[in-house]
Amino acid sequence: MPIGEFGGAPPLVAEGSPALTTPMYWLYEMAQASLNPARAVTDATKILFQNPLNPWSHTELGKSIAAGCELFERTTRRYGKPEWGIHDTEVSGVRTPVDIRVVWEKPFCRLLYFDRKLTRPVRTPQPRLLIVAPMSGHYATLLRGTVEAFLPTHEVYITDWTDARMVPLTQGRFDLDDYVDYVIEMLHVLGGNMHVMAVCQPSVPVVAAVSIMEAERDPFVPLSMTLMGGPIDTRRNPTAVNNLAAERGIDWFRNHVITKVPFPHPGVMRDVYPGFLQLNGFISMNFDRHMDAHKNLFKDLVKGDGDLVDKHRDFYDEYLAVMDLTAEYYLQTVDTVFVKHALPKGEMTHRGKKVDPSRIARVALMTVEGENDDISGLGQTEATHALCSSIPNHRRVHYVQKGVGHYGVFNGSRFKSEIVPRISDFIMSAANARPSLVAVKPTLAAAAE
């Protein structure tokens, strides 16, 4: 399935995408509304030809009609925010219920806590982990597998970013500086003794947040910082996404992909990079693979292969659910990270003050990359180690997972079997101030000494 474009940097539009003006979003909404009658008819037709009392439902023609109706409905609908669907986990061999609670909230984000209802004390310490999810088009539920993998051995919190079209203009703006402020405030609310993990895009604001906290000798600075497939220095092994941003320049994006939210959404008249345009960019990156996936869905529906159909539905229910990003956040991120390379050049600022990763000294650092990552190229995340020069070598680790792409860095079988145990060991080591781990590749800087 086409998973390479999941969860990376803020998505860029495909080559040749048309310029957007304010009416474009309104036209999109009108098109969605105009398709409602057709979707209603296809739904009714599908029900008719799936009814076992209808003789045609048992024929190749009837099954093909029902399959075609489902394809039409699925490819024309707007997908809402997916549910987490995490109701329990296994802790120390005991099946334990999980209650998802909101423990902090601001207009553009909620902090969720996966509260495990333990029935007996655990034998070993359970580190507290804040997972900072990408704000790059998909919802935080993209990291459902990431959360599930850490729940048995960690107290897990995650950022749940809000769709910008759902935030009224009266709630103010949200840019990259606000993102950094949110991360710092969440760490304060959690009260210390925390480990932070940034998955893909948030690597830059998390490094900035921790740098600022260290510069101010903040007592709530995290014990460790794990960065996974993040675009810290996109000059290293640049990918197609990186090159597109550098070639276009920030003015092109401002003029071509920014529009206003239409009525009746709560965020009406807010400038955004809309989800439907992001989705166009996602799909065009691997258009042939998406076409093949939907052709196979049609065949599997006709054959009645329920397992493959369910896998397709689960994947695309998540993949096609996208959210709008505020224009100021999107443009500032593209400019800072992909055009100016401000962080690795030492030129990034926050509220007018310089962001200096060399001030980070109390926080252990781990970076994780995928060998075949086509979103954040190999070496882009490892560059963090050179920037965080004050972290002792025995408290820094770099790991490259063989045979996985961008998505495999934070989800999938190899993530669960090979990456998660290494991160868990690193977190425990950081909490206990122990030396670097065995069987984990050291940084190039450490190996050279």
Side-chain angles (χ1 to χ4, degrees), residues 55-74:
W56 286 97
S57 67
H58 304 286
T59 66
E60 188 79 10
L61 177 61
K63 294 176 181 178
S64 297
I65 292 174
C69 289
E70 175 161 341
L71 274 180
F72 176 82
E73 191 275 332
R74 292 188 63 84

Side-chain angles (χ1 to χ4, degrees), residues 342-392:
L343 183 62
K345 287 182 177 180
E347 300 171 356
M348 184 175 178
T349 60
H350 172 264
R351 306 295 182 196
K353 295 182 179 180
K354 182 180 178 181
V355 173
D356 185 4
S358 69
R359 301 296 295 272
I360 301 176
R362 295 176 289 167
V363 184
L365 172 64
M366 181 175 188
T367 53
V368 181
E369 296 182 326
E371 180 184 29
N372 304 322
D373 195 330
D374 60 347
I375 302 296
S376 296
L378 203 60
Q380 293 185 9
T381 313
E382 185 185 16
T384 316
H385 290 277
L387 303 178
C388 301
S389 56
S390 297
I391 299 176

Side-chain angles (χ1 to χ4, degrees), residues 27 62 95 189 224 243 304 309 392 414 439:
L27 292 173
R95 182 55 56 180
V189 168
S224 74
N243 290 332
V309 169
R414 291 189 179 180

Side-chain angles (χ1 to χ4, degrees), residues 27-283:
L27 292 173
Y28 170 78
E29 292 292 337
M30 290 173 61
Q32 283 290 311
S34 67
L35 285 171
N36 285 337
R39 280 193 288 265
V41 171
T42 55
D43 278 345
T45 304
K46 184 180 75 169
I47 292 172
L48 175 63
F49 282 92
Q50 286 181 336
N51 190 330
L53 298 179
N54 180 359
W56 286 97
S57 67
H58 304 286
T59 66
E60 188 79 10
L61 177 61
K63 294 176 181 178
S64 297
I65 292 174
C69 289
E70 175 161 341
L71 274 180
F72 176 82
E73 191 275 332
R74 292 188 63 84
T75 54
T76 59
R77 80 159 83 148
R78 168 180 273 168
Y79 288 75
K81 182 179 180 180
E83 297 293 330
W84 281 97
I86 299 177
H87 305 294
D88 54 57
T89 187
E90 187 174 297
V91 181
S92 300
V94 178
R95 182 55 56 180
T96 305
V98 174
D99 180 27
I100 304 176
R101 295 192 288 112
V102 178
V103 296
W104 174 90
E105 185 171 7
K106 277 203 165 182
F108 291 92
C109 185
R110 301 185 306 167
L111 181 60
L112 303 182
Y113 172 45
F114 294 83
D115 187 4
R116 302 168 303 166
K117 302 300 182 180
L118 301 175
T119 56
R120 64 185 182 186
V122 292
R123 297 178 181 177
T124 57
Q126 299 275 294
R128 304 171 70 214
L129 177 63
L130 168 60
I131 300 177
V132 184
M135 191 181 188
S136 54
H138 286 103
Y139 292 95
T141 50
L142 174 67
L143 302 188
R144 184 183 296 102
T146 313
V147 171
E148 289 175 332
F150 283 102
L151 269 179
T153 52
H154 296 73
E155 290 188 43
V156 179
Y157 301 79
I158 194 168
T159 58
D160 185 26
W161 301 105
T162 306
D163 189 339
R165 68 189 168 97
M166 303 305 293
V167 183
L169 273 175
T170 54
Q171 296 293 335
R173 66 199 304 274
F174 182 88
D175 61 13
L176 187 57
D177 288 338
D178 295 307
Y179 196 125
V180 174
D181 290 337
Y182 273 33
V183 173
I184 295 174
E185 187 169 337
M186 282 184 272
L187 289 170
H188 284 182
V189 168
L190 294 174
N193 191 29
M194 289 296 302
H195 303 265
V196 64
M197 174 190 295
V199 181
C200 315
Q201 166 270 326
S203 294
V204 171
V206 165
V207 170
V210 175
S211 300
I212 293 164
M213 296 176 76
E214 281 281 56
E216 298 176 352
R217 302 302 295 171
D218 193 318
F220 297 111
V221 70
L223 299 172
S224 74
M225 175 172 62
T226 302
L227 310 178
M228 307 178 69
I232 296 296
D233 189 350
T234 57
R235 297 172 299 178
R236 291 193 180 192
N237 194 19
T239 64
V241 173
N242 307 150
N243 290 332
L244 178 61
E247 292 169 3
R248 295 293 191 183
I250 193 63
D251 289 336
W252 187 91
F253 290 100
R254 181 179 291 107
N255 295 330
H256 286 73
V257 305
I258 303 303
T259 185
K260 291 186 182 296
V261 176
F263 181 83
H265 301 296
V268 58
M269 299 309 291
R270 179 181 293 280
D271 287 330
V272 296
Y273 176 29
F276 72 86
L277 187 61
Q278 297 173 61
L279 189 57
N280 172 69
F282 290 146
I283 292 176

